[in-house]
Structure formats: C-alpha cells, structure tokens
Amino acid sequence: MIREEWLNRLFKRLTHLIIGAISLSVVSGLLMIYLILNPSLSLVGSNLQKGKDPKTTIDPDRIENGIHVRTGLVEGKGLMAVVNNCTNCHSAKLVIQNRMNREKWNSTIQWMQETQNLWDLGKNHEVIVNYLVTYYPPQSKKRREGLKEIEWYVLED
Ligand code: HEC
C-alpha cells in the first residue's frame, strides 16, 4: 500500500516535469518565431536594417529631369521654400497651373494671407516670389492666330 502511494507520487511528479518541459519549449519556440518575424528586435536583424541600401530608400525631395518629383514643381532657387510653404493647404498643381507676373503673385499670396490663413512668409516671401516669377511667369505664347488661306470644301453626304 505504501509502495503504491509512493509510485503514485513519483508518477505525478514526472507528469508535472514533462508538462513543464513541454510548455517551456512551446514558449521558447513561439519566441523564436516572433523574433524571426520581427527582426528589428533581434541583434542580427537590427544589423540588417542598419545596412539598408540607400538607393532603395525613396528620397521625398528627389529631383528627376529638373522636376521635384513629389510636387511636380520645377527645380530652381527657392524650390524648397515653395515646397514647404505652398503645398500644405492645396496641391502644388494649383501653383503650377497659374502663371503670373510679380505683382499678381504678390497679390495672390496677400489674398491667401488675408482670407485663407496663410502665414507671414518672412524672409521667404522674396525667395518664393522670385522663384514663382522665374519659373511660372505669364505664359508668353498666346492663342495661335486664326487660320489663313484655307481652301474650304463642302462635305458631301
Ligand atoms: C494656409 C493655407 C494655404 C497656403 C499655405 C497656401 N495657400 Fe494658396 N490657396 C489657399 C486656398 C484655401 C486657396 C483657394 C483654393 C481653391 O480655390 O480651391 C488657394 C489658392 C491658391 C491659388 C489659386 C488662386 C486663384 O486665383 O485661383 C494659387 C496660385 C495659390 N494658392 C498659390 C499659393 C502659393 C504660391 C503658396 C505659397 C506661398 C500658397 N498658395 C500657400 C490656401 C493656402
């Protein structure tokens, strides 16, 4: 009887031990999977991240063929002042599709300052207007002239 009780106890202990070992390996297995999926947490992974190829990270201010890719504005002196001050409320397209002389650009900016909460541009005001007048002046090409010396012909049905 006593011997049986002793065996019983031994058996219980063994099962506890086995359950403990199994749960330990399950937990560490899950931890391993987690680290594989989230390499930023592990040492090896963070090194991999540091070694990122700079060519694959996209520069938000990259210029291609003289155009600031993100906004479509022409590259030139004062570009970043325009990007930083003129593309917050509306698309840069609104700037690009307008062509004005100095006076009109100034009054457009003043209009936005008075009615649209555009901030005081400070020293950038001059830089921005210079940029706009240089790259977005009034369109020099007018509407083409009317056609001359055309031989009209009658359409037949
Ligand atoms: C605080 C917000 C804000 C900022 C910043 C801003 N604008 Fe505007 N702008 C507006 C609003 C609002 C309109 C009117 C939009 C509309 O009609 O849909 C507008 C309209 C315009 C127009 C069209 C005007 C017209 O007569 O149709 C131009 C051009 C323009 N902005 C240029 C600029 C330039 C250049 C800058 C940088 C100096 C700038 N905006 C910065 C708010 C802003």
Side-chain angles (χ1 to χ4, degrees):
M1 197 59 186
I2 285 167
R3 196 185 149 78
E4 207 173 302
E5 209 170 281
W6 182 81
L7 266 175
N8 236 337
R9 269 216 194 137
L10 188 72
F11 185 70
K12 260 190 187 162
R13 283 209 168 162
L14 269 175
T15 41
H16 281 164
L17 209 70
I18 288 165
I19 288 171
I22 287 173
S23 40
L24 200 73
S25 54
V26 165
V27 167
S28 53
L30 285 175
L31 203 71
M32 290 262 276
I33 290 169
Y34 183 66
L35 285 179
I36 288 165
L37 296 178
N38 286 279
S40 57
L41 285 176
S42 74
L43 264 170
V44 184
S46 61
N47 280 345
L48 276 177
Q49 291 233 317
K50 270 181 213 150
K52 241 191 220 165
D53 183 359
K55 276 181 218 143
T56 59
T57 50
I58 293 166
D59 173 13
D61 288 323
R62 75 186 187 287
I63 308 278
E64 268 172 38
N65 303 321
I67 299 289
H68 183 250
V69 176
R70 179 162 54 93
T71 59
L73 288 162
V74 176
E75 185 195 13
K77 193 165 174 281
L79 166 70
M80 285 324 289
V82 174
V83 170
N84 293 330
N85 289 286
C86 307
T87 60
N88 320 60
C89 303
H90 47 68
S91 151
K93 286 204 188 87
L94 202 55
V95 181
I96 292 165
Q97 71 197 11
N98 276 279
R99 293 179 150 269
M100 306 179 220
N101 59 22
R102 184 173 295 272
E103 196 192 341
K104 294 252 175 66
W105 275 118
N106 268 319
S107 63
T108 303
I109 290 174
Q110 198 188 346
W111 169 78
M112 280 180 287
Q113 284 170 331
E114 283 166 1
T115 61
Q116 310 297 337
N117 286 328
L118 173 59
W119 45 86
D120 182 15
L121 297 166
K123 272 185 260 161
N124 276 330
H125 188 109
E126 186 87 25
V127 178
I128 289 170
V129 173
N130 281 342
Y131 170 91
L132 293 169
V133 174
T134 309
Y135 300 102
Y136 299 99
Q139 205 104 36
S140 52
K141 277 185 196 146
K142 301 211 175 70
R143 199 165 175 255
R144 69 160 170 78
E145 285 178 41
L147 298 170
K148 278 180 258 175
E149 293 167 49
I150 298 282
E151 282 183 43
W152 298 102
Y153 58 91
V154 181
L155 288 173
E156 288 160 34
D157 21 52

PDB file of all heavy atoms in Angstrom, residues 93-120:
ATOM      1  N   LYS A  93      -0.175  71.581 -57.762  1.00  0.00           N
ATOM      2  CA  LYS A  93      -0.751  71.770 -59.102  1.00  0.00           C
ATOM      3  C   LYS A  93      -1.402  73.147 -59.217  1.00  0.00           C
ATOM      4  O   LYS A  93      -1.371  73.776 -60.251  1.00  0.00           O
ATOM      5  CB  LYS A  93      -1.804  70.697 -59.380  1.00  0.00           C
ATOM      6  CG  LYS A  93      -1.215  69.343 -59.668  1.00  0.00           C
ATOM      7  CD  LYS A  93      -2.182  68.490 -60.492  1.00  0.00           C
ATOM      8  CE  LYS A  93      -1.697  67.061 -60.614  1.00  0.00           C
ATOM      9  NZ  LYS A  93      -2.144  66.247 -59.471  1.00  0.00           N
ATOM     10  N   LEU A  94      -1.994  73.592 -58.110  1.00  0.00           N
ATOM     11  CA  LEU A  94      -2.662  74.893 -58.112  1.00  0.00           C
ATOM     12  C   LEU A  94      -1.634  76.001 -58.364  1.00  0.00           C
ATOM     13  O   LEU A  94      -1.943  77.006 -58.998  1.00  0.00           O
ATOM     14  CB  LEU A  94      -3.351  75.119 -56.762  1.00  0.00           C
ATOM     15  CG  LEU A  94      -4.501  76.127 -56.753  1.00  0.00           C
ATOM     16  CD1 LEU A  94      -5.552  75.772 -57.767  1.00  0.00           C
ATOM     17  CD2 LEU A  94      -5.094  76.235 -55.364  1.00  0.00           C
ATOM     18  N   VAL A  95      -0.416  75.800 -57.874  1.00  0.00           N
ATOM     19  CA  VAL A  95       0.649  76.773 -58.120  1.00  0.00           C
ATOM     20  C   VAL A  95       1.099  76.655 -59.574  1.00  0.00           C
ATOM     21  O   VAL A  95       1.216  77.646 -60.290  1.00  0.00           O
ATOM     22  CB  VAL A  95       1.839  76.528 -57.165  1.00  0.00           C
ATOM     23  CG1 VAL A  95       2.936  77.542 -57.407  1.00  0.00           C
ATOM     24  CG2 VAL A  95       1.377  76.564 -55.707  1.00  0.00           C
ATOM     25  N   ILE A  96       1.337  75.397 -59.996  1.00  0.00           N
ATOM     26  CA  ILE A  96       1.909  75.149 -61.322  1.00  0.00           C
ATOM     27  C   ILE A  96       0.996  75.638 -62.449  1.00  0.00           C
ATOM     28  O   ILE A  96       1.449  76.197 -63.427  1.00  0.00           O
ATOM     29  CB  ILE A  96       2.196  73.635 -61.486  1.00  0.00           C
ATOM     30  CG1 ILE A  96       3.323  73.224 -60.537  1.00  0.00           C
ATOM     31  CG2 ILE A  96       2.535  73.293 -62.921  1.00  0.00           C
ATOM     32  CD1 ILE A  96       3.444  71.743 -60.335  1.00  0.00           C
ATOM     33  N   GLN A  97      -0.306  75.443 -62.263  1.00  0.00           N
ATOM     34  CA  GLN A  97      -1.190  75.788 -63.380  1.00  0.00           C
ATOM     35  C   GLN A  97      -1.458  77.290 -63.459  1.00  0.00           C
ATOM     36  O   GLN A  97      -2.134  77.749 -64.369  1.00  0.00           O
ATOM     37  CB  GLN A  97      -2.501  74.999 -63.276  1.00  0.00           C
ATOM     38  CG  GLN A  97      -3.410  75.456 -62.151  1.00  0.00           C
ATOM     39  CD  GLN A  97      -4.470  74.421 -61.820  1.00  0.00           C
ATOM     40  OE1 GLN A  97      -4.406  73.283 -62.295  1.00  0.00           O
ATOM     41  NE2 GLN A  97      -5.430  74.793 -61.002  1.00  0.00           N
ATOM     42  N   ASN A  98      -0.915  78.064 -62.511  1.00  0.00           N
ATOM     43  CA  ASN A  98      -1.065  79.507 -62.560  1.00  0.00           C
ATOM     44  C   ASN A  98       0.228  80.150 -63.040  1.00  0.00           C
ATOM     45  O   ASN A  98       1.307  79.749 -62.620  1.00  0.00           O
ATOM     46  CB  ASN A  98      -1.415  80.050 -61.176  1.00  0.00           C
ATOM     47  CG  ASN A  98      -2.896  79.954 -60.898  1.00  0.00           C
ATOM     48  OD1 ASN A  98      -3.665  80.782 -61.330  1.00  0.00           O
ATOM     49  ND2 ASN A  98      -3.284  78.892 -60.194  1.00  0.00           N
ATOM     50  N   ARG A  99       0.093  81.132 -63.903  1.00  0.00           N
ATOM     51  CA  ARG A  99       1.275  81.842 -64.387  1.00  0.00           C
ATOM     52  C   ARG A  99       0.989  83.319 -64.251  1.00  0.00           C
ATOM     53  O   ARG A  99       0.007  83.818 -64.774  1.00  0.00           O
ATOM     54  CB  ARG A  99       1.562  81.453 -65.834  1.00  0.00           C
ATOM     55  CG  ARG A  99       1.980  79.989 -65.925  1.00  0.00           C
ATOM     56  CD  ARG A  99       2.253  79.562 -67.323  1.00  0.00           C
ATOM     57  NE  ARG A  99       3.265  78.513 -67.308  1.00  0.00           N
ATOM     58  CZ  ARG A  99       4.561  78.768 -67.406  1.00  0.00           C
ATOM     59  NH1 ARG A  99       5.010  79.997 -67.512  1.00  0.00           N
ATOM     60  NH2 ARG A  99       5.419  77.774 -67.383  1.00  0.00           N
ATOM     61  N   MET A 100       1.836  83.998 -63.478  1.00  0.00           N
ATOM     62  CA  MET A 100       1.563  85.409 -63.198  1.00  0.00           C
ATOM     63  C   MET A 100       2.852  86.209 -63.146  1.00  0.00           C
ATOM     64  O   MET A 100       3.936  85.653 -63.019  1.00  0.00           O
ATOM     65  CB  MET A 100       0.889  85.552 -61.822  1.00  0.00           C
ATOM     66  CG  MET A 100      -0.344  84.712 -61.629  1.00  0.00           C
ATOM     67  SD  MET A 100      -1.017  84.961 -59.990  1.00  0.00           S
ATOM     68  CE  MET A 100      -1.489  83.297 -59.580  1.00  0.00           C
ATOM     69  N   ASN A 101       2.690  87.512 -63.220  1.00  0.00           N
ATOM     70  CA  ASN A 101       3.833  88.382 -63.016  1.00  0.00           C
ATOM     71  C   ASN A 101       4.008  88.637 -61.514  1.00  0.00           C
ATOM     72  O   ASN A 101       3.204  88.172 -60.692  1.00  0.00           O
ATOM     73  CB  ASN A 101       3.674  89.693 -63.800  1.00  0.00           C
ATOM     74  CG  ASN A 101       2.418  90.440 -63.386  1.00  0.00           C
ATOM     75  OD1 ASN A 101       1.903  90.234 -62.286  1.00  0.00           O
ATOM     76  ND2 ASN A 101       1.917  91.292 -64.261  1.00  0.00           N
ATOM     77  N   ARG A 102       5.063  89.362 -61.169  1.00  0.00           N
ATOM     78  CA  ARG A 102       5.397  89.596 -59.765  1.00  0.00           C
ATOM     79  C   ARG A 102       4.228  90.180 -58.974  1.00  0.00           C
ATOM     80  O   ARG A 102       3.905  89.723 -57.880  1.00  0.00           O
ATOM     81  CB  ARG A 102       6.617  90.524 -59.693  1.00  0.00           C
ATOM     82  CG  ARG A 102       7.134  90.791 -58.296  1.00  0.00           C
ATOM     83  CD  ARG A 102       8.420  91.552 -58.346  1.00  0.00           C
ATOM     84  NE  ARG A 102       9.487  90.754 -58.968  1.00  0.00           N
ATOM     85  CZ  ARG A 102      10.275  89.923 -58.283  1.00  0.00           C
ATOM     86  NH1 ARG A 102      10.135  89.795 -56.991  1.00  0.00           N
ATOM     87  NH2 ARG A 102      11.202  89.224 -58.908  1.00  0.00           N
ATOM     88  N   GLU A 103       3.598  91.152 -59.597  1.00  0.00           N
ATOM     89  CA  GLU A 103       2.516  91.848 -58.917  1.00  0.00           C
ATOM     90  C   GLU A 103       1.366  90.883 -58.585  1.00  0.00           C
ATOM     91  O   GLU A 103       0.845  90.860 -57.474  1.00  0.00           O
ATOM     92  CB  GLU A 103       2.035  92.964 -59.845  1.00  0.00           C
ATOM     93  CG  GLU A 103       1.205  94.017 -59.175  1.00  0.00           C
ATOM     94  CD  GLU A 103       0.545  94.904 -60.227  1.00  0.00           C
ATOM     95  OE1 GLU A 103       1.012  94.923 -61.401  1.00  0.00           O
ATOM     96  OE2 GLU A 103      -0.460  95.554 -59.877  1.00  0.00           O
ATOM     97  N   LYS A 104       1.019  90.054 -59.547  1.00  0.00           N
ATOM     98  CA  LYS A 104      -0.107  89.131 -59.353  1.00  0.00           C
ATOM     99  C   LYS A 104       0.242  88.025 -58.357  1.00  0.00           C
ATOM    100  O   LYS A 104      -0.602  87.621 -57.558  1.00  0.00           O
ATOM    101  CB  LYS A 104      -0.523  88.516 -60.695  1.00  0.00           C
ATOM    102  CG  LYS A 104      -1.095  89.517 -61.680  1.00  0.00           C
ATOM    103  CD  LYS A 104      -2.593  89.325 -61.840  1.00  0.00           C
ATOM    104  CE  LYS A 104      -3.231  90.378 -62.736  1.00  0.00           C
ATOM    105  NZ  LYS A 104      -2.763  90.276 -64.140  1.00  0.00           N
ATOM    106  N   TRP A 105       1.479  87.548 -58.407  1.00  0.00           N
ATOM    107  CA  TRP A 105       1.872  86.527 -57.429  1.00  0.00           C
ATOM    108  C   TRP A 105       1.799  87.128 -56.031  1.00  0.00           C
ATOM    109  O   TRP A 105       1.285  86.505 -55.100  1.00  0.00           O
ATOM    110  CB  TRP A 105       3.290  85.991 -57.700  1.00  0.00           C
ATOM    111  CG  TRP A 105       3.319  84.876 -58.716  1.00  0.00           C
ATOM    112  CD1 TRP A 105       3.956  84.893 -59.918  1.00  0.00           C
ATOM    113  CD2 TRP A 105       2.682  83.597 -58.610  1.00  0.00           C
ATOM    114  NE1 TRP A 105       3.753  83.702 -60.575  1.00  0.00           N
ATOM    115  CE2 TRP A 105       2.977  82.887 -59.802  1.00  0.00           C
ATOM    116  CE3 TRP A 105       1.877  82.981 -57.653  1.00  0.00           C
ATOM    117  CZ2 TRP A 105       2.513  81.590 -60.043  1.00  0.00           C
ATOM    118  CZ3 TRP A 105       1.420  81.692 -57.892  1.00  0.00           C
ATOM    119  CH2 TRP A 105       1.729  81.013 -59.066  1.00  0.00           C
ATOM    120  N   ASN A 106       2.308  88.353 -55.920  1.00  0.00           N
ATOM    121  CA  ASN A 106       2.256  89.018 -54.619  1.00  0.00           C
ATOM    122  C   ASN A 106       0.834  89.196 -54.125  1.00  0.00           C
ATOM    123  O   ASN A 106       0.542  88.939 -52.954  1.00  0.00           O
ATOM    124  CB  ASN A 106       2.938  90.401 -54.707  1.00  0.00           C
ATOM    125  CG  ASN A 106       4.408  90.310 -54.337  1.00  0.00           C
ATOM    126  OD1 ASN A 106       4.776  89.607 -53.400  1.00  0.00           O
ATOM    127  ND2 ASN A 106       5.242  91.016 -55.078  1.00  0.00           N
ATOM    128  N   SER A 107      -0.061  89.580 -55.026  1.00  0.00           N
ATOM    129  CA  SER A 107      -1.422  89.821 -54.561  1.00  0.00           C
ATOM    130  C   SER A 107      -2.143  88.499 -54.269  1.00  0.00           C
ATOM    131  O   SER A 107      -2.988  88.446 -53.379  1.00  0.00           O
ATOM    132  CB  SER A 107      -2.194  90.693 -55.552  1.00  0.00           C
ATOM    133  OG  SER A 107      -2.316  90.023 -56.772  1.00  0.00           O
ATOM    134  N   THR A 108      -1.772  87.431 -54.995  1.00  0.00           N
ATOM    135  CA  THR A 108      -2.362  86.116 -54.686  1.00  0.00           C
ATOM    136  C   THR A 108      -1.944  85.680 -53.280  1.00  0.00           C
ATOM    137  O   THR A 108      -2.763  85.201 -52.493  1.00  0.00           O
ATOM    138  CB  THR A 108      -1.910  85.059 -55.712  1.00  0.00           C
ATOM    139  OG1 THR A 108      -2.267  85.492 -57.023  1.00  0.00           O
ATOM    140  CG2 THR A 108      -2.561  83.709 -55.446  1.00  0.00           C
ATOM    141  N   ILE A 109      -0.669  85.860 -52.990  1.00  0.00           N
ATOM    142  CA  ILE A 109      -0.171  85.483 -51.662  1.00  0.00           C
ATOM    143  C   ILE A 109      -0.841  86.345 -50.594  1.00  0.00           C
ATOM    144  O   ILE A 109      -1.284  85.844 -49.556  1.00  0.00           O
ATOM    145  CB  ILE A 109       1.371  85.614 -51.614  1.00  0.00           C
ATOM    146  CG1 ILE A 109       1.993  84.517 -52.476  1.00  0.00           C
ATOM    147  CG2 ILE A 109       1.882  85.529 -50.178  1.00  0.00           C
ATOM    148  CD1 ILE A 109       3.498  84.617 -52.645  1.00  0.00           C
ATOM    149  N   GLN A 110      -0.954  87.629 -50.896  1.00  0.00           N
ATOM    150  CA  GLN A 110      -1.594  88.524 -49.933  1.00  0.00           C
ATOM    151  C   GLN A 110      -3.057  88.125 -49.708  1.00  0.00           C
ATOM    152  O   GLN A 110      -3.541  88.100 -48.585  1.00  0.00           O
ATOM    153  CB  GLN A 110      -1.511  89.956 -50.456  1.00  0.00           C
ATOM    154  CG  GLN A 110      -1.739  90.984 -49.366  1.00  0.00           C
ATOM    155  CD  GLN A 110      -1.836  92.389 -49.954  1.00  0.00           C
ATOM    156  OE1 GLN A 110      -1.476  92.621 -51.107  1.00  0.00           O
ATOM    157  NE2 GLN A 110      -2.324  93.318 -49.146  1.00  0.00           N
ATOM    158  N   TRP A 111      -3.702  87.751 -50.807  1.00  0.00           N
ATOM    159  CA  TRP A 111      -5.103  87.312 -50.693  1.00  0.00           C
ATOM    160  C   TRP A 111      -5.214  86.086 -49.778  1.00  0.00           C
ATOM    161  O   TRP A 111      -6.078  86.007 -48.909  1.00  0.00           O
ATOM    162  CB  TRP A 111      -5.665  87.001 -52.088  1.00  0.00           C
ATOM    163  CG  TRP A 111      -6.991  86.295 -52.036  1.00  0.00           C
ATOM    164  CD1 TRP A 111      -8.211  86.850 -51.798  1.00  0.00           C
ATOM    165  CD2 TRP A 111      -7.210  84.879 -52.187  1.00  0.00           C
ATOM    166  NE1 TRP A 111      -9.182  85.878 -51.800  1.00  0.00           N
ATOM    167  CE2 TRP A 111      -8.596  84.653 -52.026  1.00  0.00           C
ATOM    168  CE3 TRP A 111      -6.386  83.783 -52.434  1.00  0.00           C
ATOM    169  CZ2 TRP A 111      -9.175  83.387 -52.119  1.00  0.00           C
ATOM    170  CZ3 TRP A 111      -6.957  82.518 -52.530  1.00  0.00           C
ATOM    171  CH2 TRP A 111      -8.331  82.336 -52.374  1.00  0.00           C
ATOM    172  N   MET A 112      -4.283  85.137 -49.957  1.00  0.00           N
ATOM    173  CA  MET A 112      -4.316  83.938 -49.108  1.00  0.00           C
ATOM    174  C   MET A 112      -4.011  84.281 -47.654  1.00  0.00           C
ATOM    175  O   MET A 112      -4.549  83.678 -46.730  1.00  0.00           O
ATOM    176  CB  MET A 112      -3.326  82.886 -49.630  1.00  0.00           C
ATOM    177  CG  MET A 112      -3.873  82.101 -50.799  1.00  0.00           C
ATOM    178  SD  MET A 112      -2.714  80.884 -51.396  1.00  0.00           S
ATOM    179  CE  MET A 112      -1.511  81.900 -52.195  1.00  0.00           C
ATOM    180  N   GLN A 113      -3.139  85.277 -47.478  1.00  0.00           N
ATOM    181  CA  GLN A 113      -2.812  85.671 -46.107  1.00  0.00           C
ATOM    182  C   GLN A 113      -4.005  86.343 -45.433  1.00  0.00           C
ATOM    183  O   GLN A 113      -4.255  86.152 -44.253  1.00  0.00           O
ATOM    184  CB  GLN A 113      -1.586  86.593 -46.096  1.00  0.00           C
ATOM    185  CG  GLN A 113      -0.304  85.801 -46.304  1.00  0.00           C
ATOM    186  CD  GLN A 113       0.919  86.668 -46.541  1.00  0.00           C
ATOM    187  OE1 GLN A 113       0.823  87.775 -47.069  1.00  0.00           O
ATOM    188  NE2 GLN A 113       2.073  86.162 -46.151  1.00  0.00           N
ATOM    189  N   GLU A 114      -4.749  87.110 -46.218  1.00  0.00           N
ATOM    190  CA  GLU A 114      -5.874  87.835 -45.624  1.00  0.00           C
ATOM    191  C   GLU A 114      -7.100  86.955 -45.432  1.00  0.00           C
ATOM    192  O   GLU A 114      -7.870  87.168 -44.504  1.00  0.00           O
ATOM    193  CB  GLU A 114      -6.231  89.046 -46.495  1.00  0.00           C
ATOM    194  CG  GLU A 114      -5.254  90.198 -46.295  1.00  0.00           C
ATOM    195  CD  GLU A 114      -5.384  91.266 -47.380  1.00  0.00           C
ATOM    196  OE1 GLU A 114      -6.242  91.112 -48.277  1.00  0.00           O
ATOM    197  OE2 GLU A 114      -4.615  92.242 -47.320  1.00  0.00           O
ATOM    198  N   THR A 115      -7.279  85.993 -46.337  1.00  0.00           N
ATOM    199  CA  THR A 115      -8.537  85.243 -46.277  1.00  0.00           C
ATOM    200  C   THR A 115      -8.377  83.752 -46.002  1.00  0.00           C
ATOM    201  O   THR A 115      -9.338  83.095 -45.617  1.00  0.00           O
ATOM    202  CB  THR A 115      -9.297  85.383 -47.615  1.00  0.00           C
ATOM    203  OG1 THR A 115      -8.476  84.844 -48.649  1.00  0.00           O
ATOM    204  CG2 THR A 115      -9.611  86.841 -47.929  1.00  0.00           C
ATOM    205  N   GLN A 116      -7.189  83.191 -46.225  1.00  0.00           N
ATOM    206  CA  GLN A 116      -7.052  81.731 -46.129  1.00  0.00           C
ATOM    207  C   GLN A 116      -6.081  81.287 -45.036  1.00  0.00           C
ATOM    208  O   GLN A 116      -5.610  80.156 -45.061  1.00  0.00           O
ATOM    209  CB  GLN A 116      -6.611  81.155 -47.478  1.00  0.00           C
ATOM    210  CG  GLN A 116      -7.431  81.620 -48.660  1.00  0.00           C
ATOM    211  CD  GLN A 116      -8.877  81.185 -48.582  1.00  0.00           C
ATOM    212  OE1 GLN A 116      -9.204  80.208 -47.911  1.00  0.00           O
ATOM    213  NE2 GLN A 116      -9.758  81.914 -49.237  1.00  0.00           N
ATOM    214  N   ASN A 117      -5.771  82.182 -44.136  1.00  0.00           N
ATOM    215  CA  ASN A 117      -4.871  81.830 -43.027  1.00  0.00           C
ATOM    216  C   ASN A 117      -3.460  81.474 -43.448  1.00  0.00           C
ATOM    217  O   ASN A 117      -2.769  80.743 -42.730  1.00  0.00           O
ATOM    218  CB  ASN A 117      -5.415  80.650 -42.214  1.00  0.00           C
ATOM    219  CG  ASN A 117      -6.572  81.073 -41.340  1.00  0.00           C
ATOM    220  OD1 ASN A 117      -6.607  82.216 -40.870  1.00  0.00           O
ATOM    221  ND2 ASN A 117      -7.513  80.181 -41.128  1.00  0.00           N
ATOM    222  N   LEU A 118      -3.031  81.960 -44.594  1.00  0.00           N
ATOM    223  CA  LEU A 118      -1.629  81.750 -44.958  1.00  0.00           C
ATOM    224  C   LEU A 118      -0.787  82.612 -44.016  1.00  0.00           C
ATOM    225  O   LEU A 118      -1.113  83.768 -43.759  1.00  0.00           O
ATOM    226  CB  LEU A 118      -1.375  82.145 -46.416  1.00  0.00           C
ATOM    227  CG  LEU A 118       0.091  82.124 -46.856  1.00  0.00           C
ATOM    228  CD1 LEU A 118       0.714  80.742 -46.690  1.00  0.00           C
ATOM    229  CD2 LEU A 118       0.235  82.568 -48.308  1.00  0.00           C
ATOM    230  N   TRP A 119       0.259  82.004 -43.491  1.00  0.00           N
ATOM    231  CA  TRP A 119       1.112  82.674 -42.513  1.00  0.00           C
ATOM    232  C   TRP A 119       2.027  83.711 -43.162  1.00  0.00           C
ATOM    233  O   TRP A 119       2.180  83.743 -44.380  1.00  0.00           O
ATOM    234  CB  TRP A 119       1.950  81.635 -41.772  1.00  0.00           C
ATOM    235  CG  TRP A 119       2.540  80.619 -42.697  1.00  0.00           C
ATOM    236  CD1 TRP A 119       3.705  80.692 -43.393  1.00  0.00           C
ATOM    237  CD2 TRP A 119       1.944  79.369 -43.075  1.00  0.00           C
ATOM    238  NE1 TRP A 119       3.887  79.577 -44.169  1.00  0.00           N
ATOM    239  CE2 TRP A 119       2.824  78.752 -43.995  1.00  0.00           C
ATOM    240  CE3 TRP A 119       0.757  78.717 -42.722  1.00  0.00           C
ATOM    241  CZ2 TRP A 119       2.549  77.507 -44.561  1.00  0.00           C
ATOM    242  CZ3 TRP A 119       0.485  77.487 -43.299  1.00  0.00           C
ATOM    243  CH2 TRP A 119       1.379  76.895 -44.201  1.00  0.00           C
ATOM    244  N   ASP A 120       2.633  84.531 -42.312  1.00  0.00           N
ATOM    245  CA  ASP A 120       3.626  85.502 -42.764  1.00  0.00           C
ATOM    246  C   ASP A 120       4.841  84.717 -43.259  1.00  0.00           C
ATOM    247  O   ASP A 120       5.368  83.883 -42.534  1.00  0.00           O
ATOM    248  CB  ASP A 120       4.011  86.397 -41.578  1.00  0.00           C
ATOM    249  CG  ASP A 120       5.021  87.461 -41.997  1.00  0.00           C
ATOM    250  OD1 ASP A 120       5.193  87.667 -43.215  1.00  0.00           O
ATOM    251  OD2 ASP A 120       5.636  88.066 -41.099  1.00  0.00           O
TER     252      ASP A 120
END
